[in-house]
């Protein structure tokens, strides 16, 4: 039964990653001084989301075949939750430095103003790069898990 929950969770988290990737890309296109690193980060987040979707797809197929052990399902869930944390941390950094509240209490994006003036991208870049390194590690673990699933499936055939 845990397999059903993890598949839904993986797909939802992949969507969070894709929305974050689009936000990063929009920022990079909106801001004249934006570093090419933002585009690179956007692509990395997008690729991680794609790998998450692939993992979800394989676990969905595994429901009937029962190739994955309970431990593999738990490991996948841990990886997915770690990806979500990283996505939220990156998004939090962006929101903190690109959003302001109006006197009426509404949030507005101030991307160009933020990066051109107050946002210290070189300082923030180090923190975001650390988060991207974590995503790379998690992505490698997911790819290894996909390989193990493919190998187990091959052995069963």
């Amino acid at each position: 039964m845990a397999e059903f929950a993890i598949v839904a969770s993986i797909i939802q988290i992949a969507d969070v990653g894709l929305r974050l990737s689009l936000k990063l890309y929009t920022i990079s296109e909106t801001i004249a001084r934006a570093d090419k690193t933002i585009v690179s980060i956007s692509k990395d987040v997008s690729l991680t989301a794609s790998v998450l979707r692939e993992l979800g797809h394989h676990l969905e197929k595994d429901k009937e075949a029962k190739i994955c052990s309970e431990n593999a399902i738990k490991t996948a869930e841990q990886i997915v939750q770690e990806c979500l944390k990283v996505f939220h941390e990156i998004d939090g950094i962006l929101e903190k430095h690109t959003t302001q509240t109006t006197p009426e209490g509404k949030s507005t994006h101030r991307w160009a103003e933020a990066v051109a003036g107050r946002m210290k991208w070189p300082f923030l870049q180090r923190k975001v790069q650390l988060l991207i390194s974590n995503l790379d590690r998690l992505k490698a673990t997911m790819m290894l898990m996909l390989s193990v699933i493919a190998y187990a499936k091959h052995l069963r055939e």
Side-chain angles (χ1 to χ4, degrees):
M1 196 45 107
E3 295 162 11
F4 296 112
I6 188 68
V7 170
S9 177
I10 289 171
I11 292 169
Q12 288 174 341
I13 293 169
D15 288 342
V16 168
L18 290 174
R19 284 192 305 272
L20 176 60
S21 175
L22 286 172
K23 182 186 278 187
L24 285 161
Y25 185 77
T26 301
I27 289 171
S28 73
E29 290 296 312
T30 303
I31 301 164
R33 289 182 49 197
D35 194 282
K36 291 190 187 288
T37 315
I38 295 174
V39 174
S40 175
I41 292 168
S42 172
K43 289 178 182 176
D44 206 20
V45 169
S46 179
L47 288 172
T48 302
S50 295
V51 173
L52 278 167
R53 279 192 177 275
E54 191 67 25
L55 179 61
H57 175 73
H58 281 283
L59 290 175
E60 178 76 31
K61 285 176 148 180
D62 185 61
K63 285 181 196 175
E64 297 88 32
K66 301 288 185 204
I67 294 171
C68 295
S69 67
E70 187 69 28
N71 189 39
I73 300 296
K74 286 180 184 176
T75 301
E77 191 169 9
Q78 289 173 331
I79 293 168
V80 168
Q81 291 306 315
E82 286 299 313
C83 286
L84 181 62
K85 284 180 190 175
V86 173
F87 289 161
H88 282 308
E89 285 186 54
I90 293 170
D91 193 43
I93 290 169
L94 294 175
E95 286 298 314
K96 180 178 176 184
H97 294 283
T98 62
T99 306
Q100 68 183 28
T101 305
T102 65
E104 297 84 33
K106 294 181 181 178
S107 291
T108 60
H109 290 282
R110 54 182 175 80
W111 294 332
E113 186 181 311
V115 171
R118 297 186 288 183
M119 187 171 164
K120 310 282 191 267
W121 177 246
F123 172 73
L124 294 174
Q125 185 177 1
R126 283 180 259 152
K127 186 172 184 176
V128 172
Q129 288 293 56
L130 176 63
L131 293 170
I132 294 301
S133 294
N134 287 343
L135 271 184
D136 285 342
R137 177 184 50 81
L138 292 165
K139 191 171 20 178
T141 304
M142 283 188 287
M143 293 301 290
L144 178 61
M145 180 169 275
L146 286 168
S147 295
V148 169
I149 291 170
Y151 180 69
K153 185 178 177 182
H154 176 72
L155 288 179
R156 285 220 174 159
E157 292 175 351

